[in-house]
Each structure stands twice: as C-alpha cells, then as structure tokens.
Amino acid sequence: MYTTTMSGYGAARQDTGRDYVLLIYALYLAGFFTGITAFVGVTLAHVARRSATGLKRAQLDWQIRLFWYGAFALTVIGLIHLMVAGLGAITGGLGLVFMVVPWGLTLTWGIFTAWAVVRGMYAALMNRPVASSNSF
C-alpha cells in the first residue's frame, strides 16, 4: 500500500510496507507445498526488520515468531514420530498404532499455522498490527 505525501515538488509515493508483508505471508502459504519458500520468507523478514518501524515492524515480528515457533513444533513432532517408529520396530509393528499421535500433531500444527497466517494477512490488509501479537 502506498500513501501519497505532498512535498514542495509534487506528490511522492511512500511505501508503508504492506505489500512486502503480504509477500512474506504468501511465501509462508507456499511453504506448505514447497517448504523452501518459508525459509525465503523468514530471511526477507529478518532483513527488512532491521530498518522497519511501526506497523511494518509489528507484522515482521509476528512473521518471524510464527516461523520459529513452527520450526520448533515440527522438530518436536519429528522427534515424536521417530520415537513412535522406534516403538513400532521394538514391538514388531504393534506400536505403530500410536503413529496417529504425530499425525494428529502435524494436522493440528498445519491448521494453527494456516489460521495464524490468515490472521496476519487480514490484519495487514486492514493496516493494523496482529492483535495480541505478544502472546501467541
């Protein structure tokens, strides 16, 4: 989104950062299918955060926090998956019944992450910070 300001030499366009923030959200959504675009998005967010202020800074903070919480959650889910697979190997396959636990956690993570991205996109489109961004 651009705002127009009047200077002594005519109208100038000033970037508020909304398009950049929405691009990062789009990269996060594409990350559900490709994986690598989420890394590109968080890298762009970290680079832009250095010079960002106000609303753009709040949105970038939310995006960075969302990525790192997701990376931590997927690491924990992956470890649980390995433990259940090991249990299946020890019990001759019987323990694989518990594989529904990491599958359910992965589904829950996916739903929560999609909700958080949509919530952030909506806030960006409304030119507002993500509500209660200090608590996830």
Side-chain angles (χ1 to χ4, degrees):
M1 182 78 179
Y2 292 98
T3 57
T4 304
T5 58
M6 296 300 290
S7 65
Y9 301 104
R13 293 173 64 109
Q14 179 182 14
D15 183 15
T16 61
R18 186 173 90 171
D19 293 338
Y20 192 79
V21 166
L22 290 173
L23 169 68
I24 294 171
Y25 281 126
L27 289 170
Y28 279 10
L29 288 175
F32 279 110
F33 305 103
T34 64
I36 192 70
T37 58
F39 289 109
V40 173
V42 77
T43 302
L44 292 174
H46 274 292
V47 169
R49 183 175 166 212
R50 294 180 192 155
S51 62
T53 58
L55 179 62
K56 184 177 178 182
R57 174 69 183 242
Q59 284 284 342
L60 291 171
D61 286 343
W62 171 260
Q63 291 172 334
I64 291 168
R65 189 173 27 249
L66 178 64
F67 176 85
W68 289 114
Y69 283 161
F72 176 73
L74 286 178
T75 301
V76 170
I77 292 168
L79 290 173
I80 293 170
H81 187 88
L82 287 175
M83 287 188 291
V84 172
L87 178 66
I90 291 170
T91 61
L94 190 60
L96 293 178
V97 170
F98 294 106
M99 199 56 81
V100 297
V101 173
W103 294 343
L105 290 173
T106 303
L107 178 65
T108 302
W109 166 84
I111 291 169
F112 175 76
T113 302
W115 169 80
V117 168
V118 170
R119 177 180 173 194
M121 288 179 81
Y122 178 76
L125 288 170
M126 295 294 132
N127 288 324
R128 294 186 300 192
V130 180
S132 67
S133 63
N134 291 335
S135 62
F136 207 82

